[in-house]
Amino acid sequence: MKVVVIDGGSRPNGNTEILTEYVIQNLTVEKIYLKDYNIQPIIDMRHSMEGFQDRKDDYNSIIERILPNDILIFSTPIYWYSMSGTMKNFIDRWSQTLRDPKYPDFKNKMASKTAFVIAVGGDDPHIKGLPMIQQFNYIFDFIGIEFAGYILGNGNKPEEVIQDKAALFAATQIRNKLTENK
């Protein structure tokens, strides 16, 4: 079982990363920090004769790193009651990859994966983060990814998520699921 963390945070050692680290401790995982890459927004060309064009950015290199993994952990702060813009940009580009001749089997390969979502926010995230979880659920359902669980943590100030005992318990539960499948 190969695990990759797709981190959509913009702050090193932020609350979301802290909670994610709690989940993956003692596991071998690949980490992709989206903030470290140039991911251009999608230009929707699916209805034009020329189709999607190569954006000449780092997006495809990230897809290449994700495809060999079995478990995808989407880790994002909750910004304005949704995933980070960096994460959204990345997922929006899947529309392009679905039609990219370099990835003819993208949807089938993604459908063989299992996903978890870890998100932390400061404004009642256990309730107000639920629409974002539903959004991830729809995304995973469309692609065929198994959605195996999520954590919504409470934290705004640095390291505040450590005080969220329910999130830490949920992190332990997901870690146990991941270690069972090693």
Side-chain angles (χ1 to χ4, degrees), residues 17-127:
E17 187 174 0
I18 289 169
L19 187 56
T20 302
E21 288 295 326
Y22 196 81
V23 169
I24 63 172
Q25 67 186 356
N26 302 321
L27 294 172
T28 302
V29 303
E30 180 173 6
K31 297 177 193 169
I32 300 171
Y33 294 93
L34 296 177
K35 69 178 174 44
D36 295 340
Y37 296 90
N38 174 20
I39 305 170
Q40 294 294 313
I42 192 166
I43 297 175
D44 188 349
M45 302 292 288
R46 65 192 145 142
H47 301 294
S48 69
M49 290 292 287
E50 53 279 349
F52 286 101
Q53 303 300 304
D54 186 1
R55 301 287 287 143
K56 300 190 185 336
D57 61 5
D58 299 324
Y59 170 78
N60 283 347
S61 69
I62 298 168
I63 291 298
E64 292 293 332
R65 290 176 63 192
I66 288 171
L67 286 174
N69 291 279
D70 307 300
I71 308 288
L72 311 177
I73 299 175
F74 293 84
S75 175
T76 180
I78 301 173
Y79 290 149
W80 290 103
Y81 312 101
S82 190
M83 67 185 77
S84 69
T86 307
M87 181 72 74
K88 183 69 167 81
N89 237 8
F90 173 70
I91 292 173
D92 281 351
R93 290 286 296 278
W94 291 6
S95 294
Q96 182 175 343
T97 309
L98 286 166
R99 292 164 179 80
D100 190 332
K102 290 182 289 214
Y103 301 99
D105 216 19
F106 177 69
K107 191 170 184 178
N108 286 336
K109 286 182 180 178
M110 293 297 279
S112 70
K113 301 182 185 323
T114 300
F116 295 89
V117 174
I118 301 169
V120 179
D123 183 16
D124 199 11
H126 301 105
I127 299 298

Side-chain angles (χ1 to χ4, degrees), residues 1 3 23 70-74 110-118 133 136-141 144-151 170-171 173-178 180-181:
M1 171 193 72
V3 180
V23 169
D70 307 300
I71 308 288
L72 311 177
I73 299 175
F74 293 84
M110 293 297 279
S112 70
K113 301 182 185 323
T114 300
F116 295 89
V117 174
I118 301 169
I133 296 300
F136 271 109
N137 188 47
Y138 290 140
I139 292 164
F140 299 153
D141 186 54
I145 297 171
E146 176 190 352
F147 191 9
Y150 67 90
I151 306 169
Q173 298 303 305
I174 289 178
R175 183 178 344 109
N176 289 343
K177 278 186 187 179
L178 292 172
E180 286 171 5
N181 296 326

